[in-house]
Amino acid sequence: MDAAIQPGDDARDPVPTRRVHVITYGCQMNVHDTRRIVQVLRPLGFQETPDPALADLVLLNTCSVREKPERKVLSTLARLKPLKEARPGLVLGVCGCVGQQHGEALLERVPYLDLVFGTDNIADLPSLLASVEHGGRTSHTRRMTHDDYRFLEADPAVEAGPTAFLTITKGCDRACSYCIVPYVRGREVSKPPEQVLDEVRRFVASGVREVTLLGQNVNSYGRDRPVGCGFVGLLERVAATPGLLRLRFVTSHPADADARMMECFARLPVLASHLHLPLQSGSDRVLARMRRGYTISEYLQKVEMARAARPDIALSTDIIVGFPGETSEDFQATLKAVEAAQFDTMFSFKYSPRPHTAAARLPNDVPEAEKAARLRDLQALQDEITAARMLRLLGRDEEVLVEGPSRNDATRERTSGGRLEGPVQWMGRTSTNYLVHFPPPEGRPVSPGDLVVVHIEEVLAHCLRGTVRGNGEGRTRGSG
Ligand code: 5AD
Ligand code: SF4
């Protein structure tokens, strides 16, 4: 079995003396990587600060999946330049996908940048910082080989709140023709199940109640090397963890999400009622050119399977408009598929040609204005569907996992005679992943990590509002 890289030992972590500010772009994988970055910096005496002006180290954890977030890296660096000029001792670094992709070239392009490192190099950060502090601008993007790959073991001490992400695979072995991820993140490597289970147990012991398993394609877990079980086996084992209230996973590839996986939603109650199943296009012709490996009718069968296993399941998806050669008939097919699938949420994007991808060799022939118009039409349709799906929750009692004070209320604590009484509003999520705000129930305390039953009284554009059922008689399972 692989030896995991151990997290810093809390007891030996020094008193914080330095501050780090990490700006995170892109997917949940980057959010997870940012926690690991904070984790490896703790033994060096770093603590996080929300204010870059107070930081000794500012890192941009970047995304290169589309051109827009990639361009944002340069504009953010330009915004940070005055901080660096005012305090030359500040260390400014770029990591994540843009760091991996451009490496040394970024140092050449941005003269005030000190540090670049890649997606496989988070554990090397202490030695990279040491070389920067000794006066050298440093770039390090060496990728670990498949057999050498070691996952950093997650340290629950750096998680903020009752929910946590946990990587189960890194990289991607598929080759969707538009996607830069296999180039940037490399071949797929599966984390040994013993490590996953150990991390989940340690998370739960430290107060985490909901875990999201992460991978570019979670369904192919275990295919790259013998790890003792596939994705379904892993789900079964993780689901059995005592004290874990909710289990989620992203992302499922529709070609690999099979009937056995869908049946898990019927068999494993701890699985949250939510499935992210990226469709990308509703046209078989475009799907083939994207090399997605399924037809629209196969996709819709998967949707049926998921709903048969868990009738109230919420589905979310990703869609790209304006892929090379996408005609208006192809786009109409996408609208039809979206209507048929009735997604709860959609993330939609204009196609953006990426280097090192097969589609970059095709003419990017859908004009920008047409892409924008298709995106608008698609989003307008989805907004209607989302509103209708959310309206079905009105008047229902929903189990909500409390995450913390509502964001706007975090600083507006209730006080009574100078005594702090907690936030004005709490927020949490339904099993179907809808955001719910509710006032503190009279006569009973609520804490992050509790499961409460909320009566939904109002449906807003992006969230729900309600009150905890029956003067606080909602279930609380916050310990374990
Ligand atoms: N252009 C536009 N969208 C893209 N995505 C991935 N690559 C591209 C690209 N080149 C979208 C896909 C994927 C999501 C994470 O980003 O929809 O599922
Ligand atoms: Fe990219 Fe396709 Fe892999 Fe997802 S499955 S990361 S879209 S190549």
Side-chain angles (χ1 to χ4, degrees), residues 211-365:
V211 168
T212 304
L213 305 178
L214 294 180
Q216 242 71 47
N217 176 12
V218 288
N219 303 92
S220 61
Y221 176 80
R223 281 190 204 159
D224 56 300
R225 57 177 176 180
V227 289
C229 65
F231 182 58
V232 168
L234 185 75
L235 276 184
E236 286 165 349
R237 292 169 73 177
V238 174
T241 309
L244 181 69
L245 299 186
R246 275 188 191 162
L247 178 58
R248 303 183 187 274
F249 56 86
V250 274
T251 293
S252 285
H253 192 291
D256 294 326
D258 57 10
R260 278 190 67 225
M261 189 209 86
M262 299 299 186
E263 282 159 13
C264 289
F265 285 104
R267 284 193 293 123
L268 306 175
V270 76
L271 266 191
S273 298
H274 177 226
L275 176 64
H276 184 62
L277 200 61
L279 169 63
Q280 311 299 3
S281 167
S283 152
D284 284 341
R285 213 176 62 87
V286 176
L287 285 172
R289 288 154 59 94
M290 288 177 162
R291 300 189 189 156
R292 288 290 287 173
Y294 53 84
T295 61
I296 182 62
S297 89
E298 285 163 346
Y299 180 94
L300 291 174
Q301 275 168 23
K302 305 275 163 113
V303 167
E304 258 175 48
M305 276 183 211
R307 291 203 166 116
R310 189 70 77 81
D312 70 340
I313 200 163
L315 296 176
S316 58
T317 202
D318 294 343
I319 291 188
I320 299 174
V321 299
F323 185 78
E326 184 189 73
T327 61
S328 62
E329 290 73 45
D330 292 323
F331 177 63
Q332 291 305 316
T334 295
L335 293 179
K336 206 170 131 205
V338 166
E339 187 76 57
Q342 292 286 300
F343 299 111
D344 290 70
T345 330
M346 170 193 293
F347 303 91
S348 47
F349 313 100
K350 291 186 276 183
Y351 169 73
S352 140
R354 305 310 289 133
H356 316 287
T357 61
R361 292 193 291 273
L362 304 171
N364 181 17
D365 56 2

Side-chain angles (χ1 to χ4, degrees), residues 83-131:
L83 283 185
K84 175 79 184 169
E85 284 168 345
R87 254 182 329 123
L90 167 69
V91 176
L92 193 55
V94 170
C95 57
C97 293
V98 177
Q100 180 69 44
Q101 193 189 337
H102 296 294
E104 190 76 33
L106 261 178
L107 285 185
E108 281 160 27
R109 174 147 188 196
V110 184
Y112 51 92
L113 186 63
D114 303 293
L115 173 64
V116 178
F117 60 98
T119 48
D120 284 359
N121 313 117
I122 293 173
D124 303 321
L125 189 49
S127 64
L128 297 174
L129 269 183
S131 68

Side-chain angles (χ1 to χ4, degrees), residues 65 171-182 216-217 251 253 280 292:
V65 81
C172 182
D173 283 354
R174 296 202 72 97
C176 303
S177 62
Y178 51 82
C179 186
I180 196 174
V181 169
Q216 242 71 47
N217 176 12
T251 293
H253 192 291
Q280 311 299 3
R292 288 290 287 173

Side-chain angles (χ1 to χ4, degrees), residues 10 56 176:
D10 265 353
D56 303 284
C176 303

Side-chain angles (χ1 to χ4, degrees), residues 7-85:
D9 181 337
D10 265 353
R12 277 176 296 155
D13 280 354
V15 179
T17 50
R18 295 190 280 178
R19 295 194 183 126
V20 57
H21 177 77
V22 190
I23 303 172
T24 309
Y25 298 101
C27 63
Q28 288 101 332
M29 194 67 81
N30 269 10
V31 175
H32 172 273
D33 285 352
T34 291
R35 299 327 301 155
R36 306 289 72 77
I37 288 169
V38 170
Q39 174 181 323
V40 302
L41 289 171
R42 271 166 57 110
L44 304 184
F46 277 98
Q47 70 177 9
E48 278 186 281
T49 170
D51 184 356
L54 297 177
D56 303 284
L57 169 64
V58 175
L59 291 173
L60 273 61
N61 189 7
T62 59
C63 169
S64 58
V65 81
R66 286 171 297 279
E67 200 190 342
K68 203 164 139 193
E70 192 179 328
R71 272 204 314 263
K72 202 152 181 201
V73 175
L74 292 176
S75 62
T76 306
L77 284 173
R79 192 161 52 76
L80 294 168
K81 190 178 175 197
L83 283 185
K84 175 79 184 169
E85 284 168 345

